[in-house]
Amino acid sequence: MNRPRPTQRPTRFWLDALRRRRERLNDELDLRAPIEWQSDEERRAAVKFFNAAFRAEESGLTQAHALSHEMRALDPDLAEVLELYGNEEGWHRTLLTEFLEHVGGRVEPMGRVTRTLYRLYGSARRMETIVLANLMFETIGSTTYRLALRNVRQPAMRQMLTILTRDEAFHVPLNVHFLRQVLANAPAERRRSARRVYRLLFLALTALPLASRPKARAFDGIPTLTLARAYARELARLFAREHDLGFDPPRLLLLALGLDTQELARAAVDPLASPTSVESAERAVDRERVVVSAL
Ligand SMILES: [Fe+2]
Ligand SMILES: [Fe+2]
């Protein structure tokens, strides 16, 4: 079977797209409808769910702006792309702050697992490690939002989840572009080390539902195994079209989760089905054209 060719676009493409999107950062949440909770457990789980989203946005914003600063002298266009991308995450963070208040919660201190994960991420120094970790966080974030949309019925919740899902569909391929840029000049040893980070993070993130499910499941209704499988599937698909980068998923783990690696490879041939393809990003550039598809 022919392996799909990665389709790439220059930094200018991403810059133009982000500038266009900036004009339309005006989606307002319509929070007039009162929320009817089935139980207090459901409400508390929703607060946990959106707190986790808040932390992800905050981390994306901080890292993107720090990288933008570092890139300014080297590649001004890429620096602006990173800045505009960070601003989108900042906008998500603002929306989530407002939303958390609406659901009767607030931004809470991070739990032990989340704190450890972000502390490790914060200690990363190599640019390719930061970008790769961010790309993988974006992937599991957008996967969780999409799966939650299948189960959540409250209109206000669906509105918030739809905004996040739609924008992350653009951020995932954008982060693949960042990764390509920082790896382009990296020596072979650093590329090899990035591949090790990918496999390690792959394992850690696939296990994350063990920690998140007891807190959030009463809201999003996603079982542990379903989420772990979806994370592994999406993290494996990340580089299925980008095989020239050499990021191979841990096959044993995929097999243990009952995922068919041949099928994953076949699915990657269709650029519109691939979450990382430029075609997917192009479809998500204009927010109003995005249809939230089920996994
Ligand atoms: Fe976001
Ligand atoms: Fe994002």
Side-chain angles (χ1 to χ4, degrees):
M1 181 177 62
N2 286 335
R3 295 212 281 180
R5 273 162 29 100
T7 41
Q8 294 164 42
R9 294 284 186 277
T11 297
R12 201 70 213 182
F13 162 83
W14 298 101
L15 184 54
D16 290 344
L18 280 158
R19 282 180 177 160
R20 280 207 306 281
R21 287 164 63 92
R22 181 179 54 188
E23 307 303 316
R24 279 174 269 147
L25 274 192
N26 54 2
D27 284 301
E28 294 290 335
L29 282 169
D30 181 357
L31 299 175
R32 282 170 300 186
I35 296 175
E36 287 163 22
W37 300 107
Q38 303 291 324
S39 64
D40 195 49
E41 192 195 3
E42 186 196 5
R43 189 191 66 80
R44 280 204 308 273
V47 171
K48 293 284 180 210
F49 181 99
F50 288 109
N51 256 283
F54 176 92
R55 293 297 173 191
E57 302 300 346
E58 185 174 60
S59 151
L61 162 67
T62 313
Q63 296 285 19
H65 282 179
L67 288 176
S68 167
H69 191 74
E70 274 188 55
M71 289 305 293
R72 204 150 290 157
L74 296 168
D75 186 339
D77 276 0
L78 193 65
E80 189 180 343
V81 168
L82 281 157
E83 168 143 8
L84 293 173
Y85 159 62
N87 291 348
E88 291 200 357
E89 302 299 28
W91 175 66
H92 284 170
R93 188 183 62 163
T94 307
L95 285 181
L96 281 163
T97 311
E98 187 189 342
F99 192 73
L100 273 165
E101 271 175 38
H102 180 65
V103 301
R106 63 186 171 83
V107 177
E108 295 172 349
M110 284 184 262
R112 196 166 42 87
V113 175
T114 324
R115 204 171 47 238
T116 309
L117 206 62
Y118 284 122
R119 194 172 287 162
L120 274 174
Y121 179 38
S123 67
R125 287 291 161 264
R126 288 183 170 182
M127 221 185 247
E128 62 272 17
T129 310
I130 297 171
V131 173
L132 174 64
N134 192 52
L135 166 59
M136 295 176 79
F137 286 154
E138 287 276 42
T139 304
I140 64 159
S142 67
T143 305
T144 316
Y145 299 147
R146 270 189 289 166
L147 282 178
L149 262 175
R150 278 184 182 176
N151 301 332
V152 172
R153 289 285 156 259
Q154 297 256 8
M157 305 289 159
R158 292 189 60 79
Q159 206 188 342
M160 186 72 244
L161 288 169
T162 304
I163 291 175
L164 295 173
T165 307
R166 182 198 57 191
D167 290 349
E168 304 316 347
F170 179 76
H171 290 172
V172 170
L174 170 62
N175 273 272
V176 173
H177 178 73
F178 292 148
L179 187 62
R180 283 194 170 280
Q181 298 306 301
V182 297
L183 282 176
N185 301 314
E189 193 286 311
R190 288 180 66 156
R191 286 169 161 258
R192 274 196 298 277
S193 141
R195 287 176 201 138
R196 281 195 295 276
V197 170
Y198 169 65
R199 293 169 74 87
L200 264 175
L201 262 179
F202 196 116
L203 298 173
L205 295 178
T206 305
L208 203 58
L210 293 172
S212 73
R213 294 304 77 210
K215 293 177 178 173
R217 187 174 170 178
F219 163 67
D220 62 35
I222 314 170
T224 309
L225 186 59
T226 305
L227 193 58
R229 210 176 256 155
Y231 283 177
R233 181 168 172 265
E234 295 306 307
L235 289 171
R237 280 175 4 133
L238 260 185
F239 298 109
R241 288 181 67 81
E242 321 291 327
H243 43 82
D244 55 314
L245 295 177
F247 289 92
D248 294 321
R251 283 179 179 275
L252 273 180
L253 177 66
L254 295 180
L255 286 173
L257 288 168
L259 292 165
D260 182 340
T261 50
Q262 297 275 319
E263 195 191 307
L264 288 175
R266 269 196 302 277
V269 177
D270 175 5
L272 282 176
S274 165
T276 57
S277 68
V278 172
E279 290 82 349
S280 292
E282 278 168 340
R283 204 169 38 164
V285 167
D286 298 312
R287 294 197 168 95
E288 54 270 28
R289 280 172 41 207
V290 173
V291 179
V292 176
S293 59
L295 272 172

